[in-house]
Amino acid sequence: MKTIGLIGGMSWESTNLYYQQLNRGIQQKLGGWSSAKVLLHSVNFQDILDLQEKNDWQGIGEILANHATQLQSSGAEGIVLCTNTMHKLAPMIEQKITVPCLHIIDVLAHQLKAQGITKVGVLGTTFTMQEAFYQERLATHGIEMVVPSENDQKVIHHIIYNELCKGVITELSKQQYVEIVNKLIAQEAQGIVLGCTEIVLLIGQEKFTVPTFDTTAIHIQAALNFML
């Protein structure tokens, strides 16, 4: 079994899912008392948010790249960034390490292509929905990305940061997300990407007329495949 290095804390709610599901996956696969060989660096999310508010993505990238190099030095044979949004900075991380960084968008794209899906609706932070890094990376795999309206994006972003990142789940927020998803389906999205690692906490069990793709679970499965 290979040792995986996790960069988490963005938020710790979703990082908790990574740790739990990696260990459960290893135990199910290997049996007995097997557990995952994990190294975890968990950042203070407040520090990251403060830099986001200053639009200091260079500073955030330097922090994450430093954690990645420390994980590699400690024996990590692969790096997993436990967040969608921060994959905006994946190139900065990859430049500083020599072990693989398992990119969440690439492993998502492989799942989408396996099901013949070429157009997806994406829910995530405003950074994920508005900036080019997610759309362009999917496009390299031949997949078109559509996003909610500007007002709906504000609703999604607010719920992620002010509720889901704090472990708050409400029925009203669930209803709002379901309505937004149905609008994306009306725009001919063939699938819906839960493009923030916390969104699964809110609508992970909801059923729609098109498949949903939980990026957290997909990323974790890719990590398990790598480790084994």
Side-chain angles (χ1 to χ4, degrees):
M1 183 197 315
K2 293 179 181 177
T3 300
I4 200 75
L6 306 181
I7 304 177
M10 300 166 285
S11 68
W12 72 263
E13 291 283 351
S14 63
T15 305
N16 186 42
L17 294 177
Y18 275 82
Y19 185 75
Q20 286 183 338
Q21 293 182 26
L22 283 171
N23 277 287
R24 286 173 180 162
I26 291 294
Q27 201 281 326
Q28 289 169 5
K29 187 70 174 180
L30 300 183
W33 287 264
S34 299
S35 56
K37 295 173 64 176
V38 174
L39 297 174
L40 169 63
H41 277 208
S42 189
V43 304
N44 180 357
F45 198 20
Q46 186 62 58
D47 294 340
I48 302 299
L49 294 181
D50 290 344
L51 291 172
Q52 277 186 354
E53 289 180 3
K54 298 175 184 177
N55 201 33
D56 186 3
W57 290 96
Q58 178 69 27
I60 298 172
E62 290 172 358
I63 290 172
L64 300 183
N66 182 53
H67 281 291
T69 56
Q70 290 180 39
L71 286 166
Q72 178 176 312
S73 296
S74 298
E77 297 167 87
I79 301 296
V80 167
L81 187 55
C82 305
T83 161
N84 276 269
T85 298
M86 295 307 160
H87 278 77
K88 168 186 169 80
L89 303 169
M92 291 183 65
I93 294 171
E94 291 167 338
Q95 288 173 4
K96 297 294 185 180
I97 58 177
T98 57
V99 298
C101 181
L102 307 184
H103 202 293
I104 199 168
I105 303 175
D106 290 340
V107 298
L108 165 65
H110 294 154
Q111 287 280 329
L112 295 172
K113 290 165 72 175
Q115 296 193 32
I117 290 176
T118 58
K119 183 176 181 179
V120 291
V122 175
L123 306 183
T125 66
T126 53
F127 309 110
T128 296
M129 293 184 289
Q130 292 180 5
E131 298 189 23
F133 75 97
Y134 218 92
Q135 182 180 32
E136 290 180 352
R137 191 89 174 201
L138 284 176
T140 64
H141 295 276
I143 298 166
E144 180 185 355
M145 169 177 158
V146 293
V147 296
S149 68
E150 186 174 340
N151 285 338
D152 284 344
Q153 288 183 31
K154 291 178 181 178
V155 171
I156 294 167
H157 185 89
H158 174 81
I159 291 171
I160 289 171
Y161 276 87
N162 294 285
E163 296 179 16
L164 302 183
C165 285
K166 297 180 179 180
V168 176
I169 307 294
T170 71
E171 189 61 31
L172 174 59
S173 294
K174 182 183 293 186
Q175 291 173 2
Q176 289 176 302
Y177 267 49
V178 167
E179 290 174 4
I180 292 168
V181 167
N182 285 325
K183 291 178 188 177
L184 291 172
I185 295 171
Q187 295 179 51
E188 300 183 344
Q190 300 167 334
I192 301 297
V193 172
L194 309 184
C196 178
T197 47
E198 285 83 13
I199 292 178
V200 63
L201 300 171
L202 185 64
I203 60 169
Q205 302 302 314
E206 294 296 311
K207 302 298 182 184
F208 299 98
T209 57
V210 300
T212 56
F213 294 86
D214 172 9
T215 52
T216 304
I218 292 169
H219 206 197
I220 291 167
Q221 185 58 55
L224 286 168
N225 293 343
F226 174 82
M227 294 170 74
L228 295 172

